[in-house]
Amino acid sequence: MSRREHHFDLARIGAGLPVASAGHELALAVGTGAMVVSAPPGTGKTTYVPALVANLLSNDPGRGNRKVLLIEPRRVAVRAAARRIAELDGSDLGAAVGYTVRGERKISASTRIEVLTPGVLLRRLLSDPALDDVAAVILDEVHERSVESDLLLGMLPEVRELREDLLLVAMSATLDTERFAGILGASVESIVQIPSALHPLCMSFAPFPEPRLDSRGVSRGFLSHLARVAAEEQQRDGCDALVFVPGAREVDEVVKLLRTLAQNEIRGSAEPFEVLPLHGRISAREQDRAVQGRDPSMPPRVVVSTSLAESSLTVPGVRLVIDSGLSREVRRDQGRDMAGLVTVSASRASAEQRAGRAARQGPGRAVRVYSEADFAHMLPASAPEIASADLTDAALLLAVWGTPGGKGLRLPTAPPEAAMSTAVRVLTELELVDLQGRPNVMGQRVAQLPVGVREARALLDGARELANARTAAEVVAAISDDHRDPGADLTSLLRELKTGRAPGAARWRRESARLERLASSETEESIRQAPVGDLRQHHESAPGIVTALTRPDWIARRTAALSRSYLLASGTRAALPEGSPLLANEWIAVREVQRAEGGAADGTGAVIRLAAPLTEESALLVAANLVRSDRVARIEDGRIRVREERRLGKIVLASTPAAPRAEDGAQAFGAHVRAEGLSSLKWTDTTISLRSRLAMLHRVLGEPWPDVRDTALLSMLDTWLGPDLKRLRPGSSLASLEIVQALRRLLPWPEAARLDELAPEQFLVPSGSHIRITYPEAGGTETRPIVAVKLQEVFGLAETPRLVDSRVPVLFHLLSPARKPLAVTDDLSSFWNGPYQQVRAEMRGRYPKHPWPEDPWTAQATARTKRTSGTR
């Protein structure tokens, strides 16, 4: 049967679904070529819209034999959507409806609707930019804002510029429809709003009395409380329940707790219930079982899930939702150059979607295991992933697409410049792009591989350097998928996968075989010619070598004997989990690091979640380009000490003392200032005044006036202090430096000519005295310049002077003859007309030799007493 001949039974597929009532409106929007469908979860858009589109386009002579692609954000959602559409259609999965996920494909020549992940379509676009075999692309759940989905939203409209017959559809569970319509080039008339099925939803709160998170992540106490609430609420209602937790570890822990409760404490005379996990690490069969409908003859189910059941996946039969209020989101640690998943409070939008799962098919209840105050403090919505993710993979895809850095591409959110610059630098170091960011032959090949950029490069290099494509493929398949080992030991994980004892072992075997075929098909000419070194002699370290090839800068060495802490070549410190088998190894290749605090991180601030053992020799071969020999000069006990060091990145391999040279002074003194801070320099009153004046100008006027806070001055130490440091010799002292002259190097020209006009050092008061203006310290909390002056010296001064082009008023500290504060004001006119009389009454008896005229407006300003000034 051809694709054109198959028609989906829309009446059967749309039976009871709110989306079916908008069939005519959807059909009109299809005719415009681009449309946006806004429909809350549970309205049936994922099953009905693709079938409707396929039927409508089958009548088009130019598009009838082309496929409709439905893009779902996750693999489990892909399989569930394909199975559900096929089931409602009454056809076999893989016939009219099929799916493709990484390492698994179930389609045929007659497939009319193909469901796939964003990553699969992105790589398909690179090899077939026109999508010649595709009639329509439907992007589901675009509101989730993953990096890959955002890239598709930017790239597909460019495809449509070449192929006007290509239909683009964006489907979202939010109301941000006009934004998505603008990106796709859809008209306002092409936005279809599907109302939600309104079923009663009862909401309640069951907060945990202690913090939900501790130094190790989600606390065990909170998970125990969550499990007990879930069990008690399920027993109360006797229905299927859905429990939301942030990650796979929490799913497994709560499943274990619930099964114990079901067997021991709760059961008694109560009805039994079945507990099922749902996350990305379990097998496809287990995932599918959790999202399929329950046989009415079976006991109720409690499905414990990550956020993947939040919007892109429906778990049938659920009438009760238990929500932890936590989610796991990508965060980038710029300081440690790592990105990873961090447990945070969910957004209010997520909390609403989770709760709504209970009332999709009838009345339901949602129990939030946190307080109403916690809900009120949640962010309205989660930030798009592109704002915090590692963009290395995205940068290569964009480069191969012809839009390096995303410039010129209409993306929902522009990638952060700093993160994109870092990503392009990594691609350059991996020799995948040229200096202009354009991909070379190797870059184009790597972009096509079904793994990340670093992993693809390691697969090809590892297969060649080890002369063993199978080992390279097995390691890459393990580290690029969601496999874990409690001791962070990749070698143990591989052993468990090979024996079939680890979750997802079958998927790993399929992926290993596929990657081995891809690596074996590479010719020597298509791989970098220069070998890393003779790594074939180190087959015992093969897993570590392949891991190190993904990130040579994450090769790590133990900081001390018996320590859990390791120093990475990048300079980051991280700790292995307690009891890890890797603790016996001095050298390891780190694959995954996660931010953490407390004892779990051994004081380093990060925990190693996956690594493999290395030998020092293999580490030096893999990271040969990171090996350096340098002279390092430091100030110790007031004297310059020099050592000649050989390093692998930041890891010291050897260090020997050396005699100081004249040129060592600048390095030693500069390092000392950076380590000890600016307080190690000699700051005179004149220097402090200049710095404070510059700080005021920068705060008020901005550029080009320089930032002179501590962090800024230390970051550009070579610019302003470097010339003076270079003149210092080993026997010199930092106290000999003229800091005021060094600071003047930062003055912007020609603006510097106005320094004394904008921020003068002194103020001329009516008595004729020149009073020093005290400016706020750089980086301090004060913002106002102060003139501290005897009250008698400003008689008659009505207008408060203003500095920095009249933008900043002076704050007067009016002093007694003993220079004690009498009043603080920036409104002298009001002071003379009011509070002055009370000050006069209190002070004239205490200081009778000084003038306290009844009328301060006409009195002569003076710095002297009555007798010396001739005043009575």
Side-chain angles (χ1 to χ4, degrees):
M1 178 187 294
S2 72
R3 294 171 184 162
R4 186 189 300 275
E5 293 171 350
H6 186 91
H7 281 260
F8 292 95
D9 187 345
L10 294 180
R12 179 177 176 180
I13 293 174
L17 297 177
V19 69
S21 63
H24 178 68
E25 191 178 357
L26 288 166
L28 292 176
V30 166
T32 66
M35 71 173 183
V36 175
V37 179
S38 176
T43 50
K45 64 182 184 300
T46 300
T47 51
Y48 186 81
V49 172
L52 172 70
V53 168
N55 280 1
L56 291 171
L57 298 187
S58 66
N59 300 320
D60 188 314
R63 298 187 285 187
N65 279 323
R66 291 174 171 172
K67 288 187 293 187
V68 172
L69 302 184
L70 172 62
I71 314 303
E72 293 294 331
R74 301 172 181 86
R75 284 181 289 189
V76 60
V78 166
R79 289 194 302 270
R83 181 178 291 105
R84 183 60 176 162
I85 298 172
E87 178 185 315
L88 292 172
D89 182 55
S91 58
D92 294 331
L93 185 62
V97 183
Y99 68 87
T100 302
V101 296
R102 177 179 162 186
E104 185 181 357
R105 196 175 194 193
K106 198 173 184 65
I107 64 170
S108 64
S110 61
T111 296
R112 190 78 180 92
I113 298 174
E114 181 182 2
V115 193
L116 58 160
T117 57
V120 172
L121 180 54
L122 280 169
R123 285 165 177 82
R124 194 174 294 182
L125 272 172
L126 298 185
S127 59
D128 179 19
L131 295 178
D132 290 322
D133 195 35
V134 177
V137 179
I138 303 173
L139 300 171
D140 199 8
E141 312 297 355
V142 293
H143 64 276
E144 292 195 6
R145 301 297 308 280
S146 71
V147 172
E148 291 181 331
S149 293
D150 276 9
L151 292 182
L152 286 176
L153 280 168
M155 294 161 70
L156 286 170
E158 292 195 347
V159 178
R160 192 164 179 269
E161 290 178 5
L162 301 175
R163 278 195 50 204
E164 293 184 356
D165 62 331
L166 179 67
L167 172 65
L168 298 182
V169 182
M171 299 201 296
S172 171
T174 70
L175 298 178
D176 196 10
T177 51
E178 291 189 11
R179 182 182 188 191
F180 293 126
I183 293 171
L184 294 185
S187 63
V188 177
E189 293 75 19
S190 300
I191 299 174
V192 181
Q193 304 277 359
I194 308 296
S196 174
L198 298 176
H199 298 293
L201 177 63
C202 177
M203 195 78 63
S204 61
F205 293 85
F208 184 55
E210 299 174 22
R212 290 175 290 174
L213 302 178
D214 58 22
S215 62
R216 295 177 179 268
V218 184
S219 75
R220 292 189 176 276
F222 174 70
L223 292 179
S224 297
H225 173 73
L226 179 72
R228 181 166 293 279
V229 169
E232 291 174 350
E233 297 296 338
Q234 192 283 328
Q235 288 296 293
R236 170 182 165 181
D237 291 2
C239 63
D240 287 359
L242 180 58
V243 182
F244 283 104
V245 295
R249 182 184 72 82
E250 292 80 17
V251 168
D252 294 341
E253 182 71 20
V254 172
V255 165
K256 187 186 303 182
L257 290 168
L258 279 170
R259 285 173 176 168
T260 300
L261 288 170
Q263 292 172 359
N264 300 331
E265 298 182 32
I266 300 294
R267 285 278 303 265
S269 60
E271 293 295 324
F273 57 86
E274 183 182 20
V275 186
L276 299 175
L278 181 56
H279 59 72
R281 296 182 194 171
I282 60 177
S283 68
R285 178 175 296 181
E286 290 176 289
Q287 291 175 347
D288 295 343
R289 184 183 174 203
V291 301
Q292 289 176 349
R294 172 175 62 90
D295 187 322
S297 64
M298 300 298 291
R301 301 184 306 171
V302 176
V303 178
V304 186
S305 175
T306 60
S307 61
L308 65 84
E310 192 173 292
S311 63
S312 61
L313 198 66
T314 294
V315 180
V318 170
R319 292 290 190 275
L320 172 66
V321 164
I322 311 295
D323 180 18
S324 68
L326 299 171
S327 68
R328 198 146 287 162
E329 297 179 3
V330 176
R331 290 288 188 275
R332 181 163 183 80
D333 187 334
Q334 296 286 359
R336 293 189 176 95
D337 187 25
M338 65 178 70
L341 295 172
V342 177
T343 303
V344 296
S345 288
S347 67
R348 287 200 296 273
S350 293
E352 296 290 1
Q353 288 193 11
R354 293 177 181 184
R357 285 291 179 182
R360 289 192 177 180
Q361 297 168 305
R365 284 200 311 124
V367 181
R368 290 172 171 160
V369 191
Y370 49 94
S371 68
E372 292 184 77
D374 290 331
F375 178 75
H377 285 97
M378 287 177 171
L379 294 174
S382 299
E385 188 182 18
I386 200 169
S388 56
D390 183 329
L391 299 182
T392 304
D393 295 350
L396 184 59
L397 288 168
L398 289 168
V400 175
W401 186 249
T403 54
K407 290 181 172 57
L409 199 65
R410 191 165 52 187
L411 294 169
T413 299
E417 290 187 11
M420 184 56 72
S421 296
T422 299
V424 173
R425 175 179 54 77
V426 171
L427 296 180
T428 305
E429 293 172 353
L430 292 172
E431 300 178 20
L432 300 177
V433 299
D434 62 21
L435 295 178
Q436 285 71 47
R438 296 172 302 203
N440 54 29
V441 173
M442 188 61 167
Q444 293 173 344
R445 177 68 185 113
V446 163
Q448 295 283 354
L449 293 176
V451 288
V453 168
R454 296 181 185 273
E455 294 77 19
R457 188 77 219 217
L459 172 68
L460 301 180
D461 284 351
R464 176 172 61 89
E465 297 296 343
L466 295 169
N468 190 335
R470 172 172 294 182
T471 296
E474 288 176 345
V475 174
V476 170
I479 66 177
S480 60
D481 205 349
D482 204 11
H483 301 292
R484 295 290 185 276
D485 177 75
D489 186 4
L490 176 59
T491 305
S492 297
L493 174 61
L494 288 168
R495 187 164 51 248
E496 294 292 301
L497 288 168
K498 289 176 181 178
T499 57
R501 293 195 295 266
R507 185 176 74 240
W508 170 81
R509 281 194 293 269
R510 289 194 304 269
E511 185 69 359
S512 296
R514 182 166 73 126
L515 293 178
E516 182 182 357
R517 289 192 299 272
L518 292 170
S520 299
S521 67
E522 289 295 317
T523 63
E524 189 70 20
E525 289 74 23
S526 66
I527 303 176
R528 189 172 48 190
Q529 293 296 312
V532 174
D534 190 10
L535 290 169
R536 299 181 186 185
Q537 307 302 318
H538 299 270
H539 56 85
E540 76 284 353
S541 298
I545 289 170
V546 177
T547 303
L549 286 170
T550 66
R551 286 206 67 159
D553 58 326
W554 279 13
I555 289 174
R557 186 183 191 182
R558 192 168 49 209
T559 56
L562 305 179
S563 173
R564 290 194 293 119
S565 300
Y566 283 73
L567 174 64
L568 280 62
S570 63
T572 294
R573 291 180 184 270
L576 282 169
E578 294 182 10
S580 170
L582 291 170
L583 289 170
N585 297 277
E586 182 179 3
W587 290 84
I588 58 175
V590 176
R591 163 61 188 180
E592 184 177 341
V593 187
Q594 180 180 326
R595 289 190 303 177
E597 301 297 337
D602 197 28
T604 65
V607 173
I608 298 168
R609 292 303 183 194
L610 196 62
L614 270 180
T615 63
E616 181 174 354
E617 188 177 359
S618 58
L620 293 175
L621 288 170
V622 171
N625 63 332
L626 296 180
V627 178
R628 298 282 188 274
S629 294
D630 296 303
R631 289 173 58 86
V632 179
R634 299 182 179 89
I635 303 293
E636 296 178 5
D637 299 325
R639 299 179 61 185
I640 293 181
R641 308 285 186 182
V642 179
R643 302 190 73 86
E644 291 184 347
E645 294 183 346
R646 185 167 178 259
R647 296 170 173 265
L648 190 161
K650 300 295 184 180
I651 301 171
V652 177
L653 303 171
S655 177
T656 57
R661 300 173 185 167
E663 61 270 21
D664 290 328
Q667 182 191 65
F669 286 116
H672 182 74
V673 172
R674 289 185 179 93
E676 300 299 323
L678 296 176
S679 60
S680 60
L681 301 174
K682 183 179 179 181
W683 293 86
T684 64
D685 289 344
T686 302
T687 308
I688 294 171
S689 175
L690 174 60
R691 185 184 179 194
S692 299
R693 292 160 69 197
L694 291 175
M696 170 68 73
L697 295 177
H698 177 76
R699 181 164 55 245
V700 177
L701 301 179
E703 298 295 340
W705 296 99
D707 184 354
V708 291
R709 290 173 295 180
D710 282 15
T711 52
L713 287 180
L714 288 172
S715 68
M716 54 183 176
L717 193 68
D718 292 339
T719 300
W720 64 280
L721 195 59
D724 297 314
L725 291 175
K726 288 179 180 178
R727 288 194 291 270
L728 293 178
R729 293 297 177 260
S732 303
S733 168
L734 286 172
S736 65
L737 298 179
E738 290 289 341
I739 306 303
V740 70
Q741 297 303 321
L743 275 181
R744 286 188 176 276
R745 292 192 181 99
L746 295 176
L747 289 173
W749 293 95
E751 290 84 355
R754 297 189 64 208
L755 173 63
D756 291 333
E757 172 193 342
L758 295 171
E761 285 190 88
Q762 298 178 332
F763 175 65
L764 178 62
V765 295
S767 68
S769 299
H770 288 83
I771 307 298
R772 177 181 290 275
I773 302 174
T774 303
Y775 288 87
E777 291 184 5
T781 57
E782 295 294 332
T783 60
R784 305 282 291 280
I786 295 172
V787 170
V789 60
K790 287 172 60 176
L791 181 147
Q792 285 81 3
E793 295 200 57
V794 290
F795 284 150
L797 183 61
E799 293 296 327
T800 300
R802 303 177 71 88
L803 308 179
V804 194
D805 280 339
S806 299
R807 301 186 190 198
V808 181
V810 167
L811 187 65
F812 277 92
H813 285 200
L814 301 178
L815 309 177
S816 72
R819 303 200 66 80
K820 302 292 185 181
L822 295 176
V824 176
T825 182
D826 62 1
D827 187 350
L828 286 170
S829 179
S830 296
F831 173 76
W832 297 132
N833 289 328
Y836 168 74
Q837 294 300 331
Q838 181 179 351
V839 170
R840 174 178 181 268
E842 294 176 357
M843 293 293 109
R844 61 187 300 197
R846 184 177 301 179
Y847 300 103
K849 294 181 179 180
H850 295 267
W852 300 98
E854 187 172 350
D855 181 5
W857 289 103
T858 59
Q860 180 182 353
T862 179
R864 296 180 292 177
T865 62
K866 295 180 185 178
R867 180 173 299 175
T868 56
S869 64
T871 304
R872 292 187 179 275

